[in-house]
Amino acid sequence: MTTASLPERSGGTSAMPDENLLRLVACALLMLSRQRTVPNPVYPANVQNAYNRLVLHCLRAGVEPPGSVPDMARWAAERPLGRWPLALPEELRTGDTRLVDPETRLPHQLCLEWEISAADPAAELFENDRILEALAVCRAANAPHAYTAFRKLLTTKPVLTGVELALLGGDPACGMLLQQVIKRCYEPAPASYLRDGAYSQCERCGCLMVPLLPGGHRCELDRCRRDGRAGRPGRALRAERGGVFQLSRPLRMFITSPGLAETELESALLARFGIRAEMWPNYDAYDLRVPLPGGRHWAVDVKDWVNPVLLARTLTPFRTEPPYERAFLVVPRYRFQENEAYGRQFLRNLPEDLVERVTLLDDRAFLRLVAGELSETKHTRDGGLHA
C-alpha cells in the first residue's frame, strides 16, 4: 500500500495530555525492568512520578486507581490500552495492545516505541548512542565495510558467550576497530532467563528466550511469536565459562529485529531477481540501496513497529547520498495483517513534507513492485528492439 493512495491524513497533531501520561507510564515500566539492584528509595523519582500522576488522573476521572507501583505494572500486563481511563485517539488503543507482555511480564516493544517517540532528544540515546559511536569511529577510519560488518553482527549475533565476545577483538571485519563499542552493546544475561542452569536461544532469531512459569519458553520478538519455530529453543548456553551476554533490549528490538527483515529482503532480491542490494550504504544513509536497470536505484528503510502512528511521527527524510529515484519504507507483512488500518493510520500522522517523498509498503508488496518494474523494463526494451 503506497502512502500516495491513502486518504484522510491529520497533518501530525501534537501529543494530548493523556498521551503524555501514557508515555510517562511506559518509560517508568522500562526503567523498572532495567533495574538490576534494589535502589534507595525503592522506586526512582520518574517511576514514582508516573504512578502518582496516573493515580491523580484516575481519581479525577472517578476510576479506582492502581494501589501501588506493582499494581500499575499489573494493569499494564492485564489491561489492553482500550480499557485504560485515558482519552486517546482510537488508533493508539486498538486491539489487544498492552504495555507489558502478559506471559513474560516484560515491557512490550510498544513501551520502547513510546520512549523513543518522546519529544526529548535524550530519549533516543538508549538506542542510538552505540550506533552513533560506531558510525563516528568508522568514518574517522574511512572504513564503511567495518560499519556494515558491525550492523550484521548486531543482527546475526544478539547473544554471545564471554569467550566469543573476547575473540571479537581479533576479528578483522569490525572487531579490531570497534571492540570497545561492541563490548558496550552487550550486557550480562540476567538470571531470570535461566532455566535448569542454562539459557536457551530462539531457533529463529538467536535472542535469548524467556522461561515461562507454566513451562516452556517464549521469544520476546514479535516477529518470532508468529512463526512456528518460535516456541522451540535452539542452542543452549551454560552460564559458566566467561558468562553469557546479550545485546541491550533496545538494540534487540530496533536493530536485531528489523535487521533480520532487512537481510531477508536482501536475500529475496538476490534469489528472485539476481539483484544484489547494497546494505547500509554510506554509513547507514538508509538500509538497502536497490539497483535497477538503466542505472536507477531505489532506497529502502525497513522498520518493524507495532504502532504506525508513533512510527509516522518519528520518521525523518532519507539522506540523499547515495542518490536514488524513489524512497520506500518497508514494514513486515504481519504488521498489516494484525492491523488492517496500519497504512491509513501511518499516513494520517505522517508529516506533510514526507507525504510525497516516501512510500509505505509491506515486504511482499515491495518485492511485487520490483518484479513489476523489471517486467516493464524488459517489455519496453524488447518492444524497442522489435521496433
Side-chain angles (χ1 to χ4, degrees):
M1 181 180 296
T2 65
T3 56
S5 66
L6 298 174
E8 302 178 291
R9 55 178 319 281
S10 66
T13 58
S14 58
M16 302 299 290
D18 286 9
E19 288 187 40
N20 292 329
L21 176 55
L22 179 58
R23 179 177 287 109
L24 283 176
V25 172
C27 293
L29 294 169
L30 287 168
M31 184 171 290
L32 285 172
S33 73
R34 291 166 183 161
Q35 289 185 179
R36 295 292 176 260
T37 60
V38 179
N40 185 18
V42 175
Y43 300 121
N46 288 354
V47 173
Q48 191 65 53
N49 178 54
Y51 170 71
N52 291 344
R53 292 186 60 174
L54 179 60
V55 168
L56 180 60
H57 178 88
C58 289
L59 293 174
R60 286 174 172 170
V63 176
E64 184 177 352
S68 62
V69 171
D71 199 24
M72 178 176 72
R74 280 191 291 271
W75 265 39
E78 297 170 2
R79 295 192 180 202
L81 289 181
R83 290 178 50 206
W84 285 58
L86 301 174
L88 300 172
E90 188 63 26
E91 54 201 15
L92 290 177
R93 57 191 301 164
T94 53
D96 193 39
T97 307
R98 305 178 193 211
L99 293 179
V100 171
D101 186 293
E103 291 190 77
T104 65
R105 296 287 166 162
L106 291 172
H108 189 259
Q109 178 180 323
L110 185 62
C111 279
L112 291 164
E113 293 178 9
W114 275 106
E115 185 179 45
I116 200 172
S117 65
D120 179 5
E124 294 190 27
L125 292 179
F126 78 93
E127 175 199 359
N128 287 340
D129 56 357
R130 300 294 175 250
I131 302 300
L132 293 175
E133 187 179 3
L135 281 168
V137 171
C138 292
R139 280 197 176 106
N142 193 25
H145 63 281
Y147 180 77
T148 299
F150 170 74
R151 286 296 297 267
K152 287 186 175 179
L153 173 70
L154 301 191
T155 297
T156 61
K157 300 289 185 182
V159 174
L160 294 170
T161 65
V163 173
E164 290 170 336
L165 186 58
L167 289 176
L168 279 176
D171 173 31
C174 65
M176 296 177 69
L177 181 63
L178 296 171
Q179 182 181 17
Q180 296 307 313
V181 179
I182 292 171
K183 284 183 177 180
R184 287 191 285 273
C185 290
Y186 289 83
E187 58 191 20
S192 59
Y193 284 69
L194 278 170
R195 171 162 286 170
D196 299 327
Y199 297 98
S200 294
Q201 286 185 266
C202 175
E203 185 180 60
R204 177 174 182 174
C205 69
C207 292
L208 291 182
M209 301 192 78
V210 183
L212 304 178
L213 288 176
H217 294 77
R218 178 167 176 153
C219 183
E220 62 185 350
L221 297 188
D222 283 356
R223 59 180 282 114
C224 292
R225 294 175 186 178
R226 290 149 183 84
D227 184 275
R229 293 170 292 166
R232 298 207 304 266
R235 183 173 66 151
L237 300 170
R238 291 283 167 182
E240 59 265 16
R241 295 194 62 206
V244 174
F245 297 81
Q246 64 176 348
L247 291 174
S248 64
R249 192 154 187 261
L251 289 174
R252 299 196 303 273
M253 291 292 175
F254 293 113
I255 300 297
T256 302
S257 183
L260 292 168
E262 291 159 10
T263 54
E264 286 176 2
L265 191 59
E266 175 195 25
S267 298
L269 288 167
L270 183 60
R272 297 188 190 185
F273 312 118
I275 292 177
R276 193 175 298 277
E278 182 181 359
M279 301 296 290
W280 309 292
N282 191 23
Y283 302 101
D284 206 12
Y286 38 86
D287 293 330
L288 294 91
R289 189 174 190 238
V290 181
L292 294 170
R296 296 172 299 132
H297 292 84
W298 286 353
V300 176
D301 244 8
V302 179
K303 300 292 185 184
D304 189 5
W305 281 49
V306 179
N307 194 287
V309 176
L310 301 179
L311 173 59
R313 291 177 182 176
T314 58
L315 198 65
T316 56
F318 286 30
R319 282 160 47 193
T320 56
E321 288 294 334
Y324 50 86
E325 278 67 41
R326 295 186 66 183
F328 296 88
L329 185 69
V330 173
V331 173
R333 180 173 175 76
Y334 76 86
R335 295 294 187 193
F336 290 83
Q337 293 172 327
E338 290 179 342
N339 178 6
E340 61 85 21
Y342 197 101
R344 296 191 296 276
Q345 293 171 358
F346 174 85
L347 181 63
R348 282 197 295 266
N349 292 272
L350 191 64
E352 290 282 357
D353 62 331
L354 291 178
V355 174
E356 301 298 330
R357 299 171 64 180
V358 64
T359 300
L360 174 69
L361 291 173
D362 69 60
D363 46 2
R364 293 186 188 178
F366 177 76
L367 290 172
R368 289 196 299 269
L369 189 65
V370 172
E373 187 73 14
L374 295 177
S375 177
E376 182 178 343
T377 301
K378 182 177 184 302
H379 178 75
T380 302
R381 183 179 63 246
D382 292 347
L385 290 174
H386 180 72

